[in-house]
Amino acid sequence: MQILKTYLSDRTFYVHYEEAKSRDKTIAAGVPQGSVLDPLLYLMYTAVILTHNDTTLATFADDTAVLSPHAN
């Protein structure tokens, strides 16, 4: 589990455009783009999403939406 923790925590990003570079910002969620672990982690994440008769789980590529109707 330690390897997953280090893979998902303490990550930062910056924007570099021509000669300008932004300050580093912390990434609060997600996985590094293009990683070989991405598909496996996504499958593990979506495999345990609980649904109900009135709930629809919509997935496409690496996006997931849980849809549920409500009177209001």
Side-chain angles (χ1 to χ4, degrees):
M1 256 332 155
Q2 185 64 27
I3 192 166
L4 283 179
K5 182 178 179 182
T6 59
Y7 179 76
L8 298 173
S9 62
D10 299 324
R11 296 183 309 117
T12 60
F13 75 97
Y14 65 89
V15 176
H16 187 206
Y17 180 73
E18 293 183 354
E19 299 299 318
K21 179 184 176 281
S22 69
R23 288 187 237 154
D24 287 1
K25 298 286 185 178
T26 301
I27 299 175
V31 296
Q33 286 186 327
S35 167
V36 296
L37 285 179
D38 288 355
L40 176 64
L41 293 174
Y42 177 75
L43 288 173
M44 289 170 45
Y45 170 74
T46 58
V48 296
I49 297 176
L50 300 177
T51 59
H52 184 269
N53 291 341
D54 294 333
T55 303
T56 301
L57 185 65
T59 60
F60 179 77
D62 63 348
D63 294 320
T64 302
V66 180
L67 310 170
S68 181
H70 190 274
N72 295 328

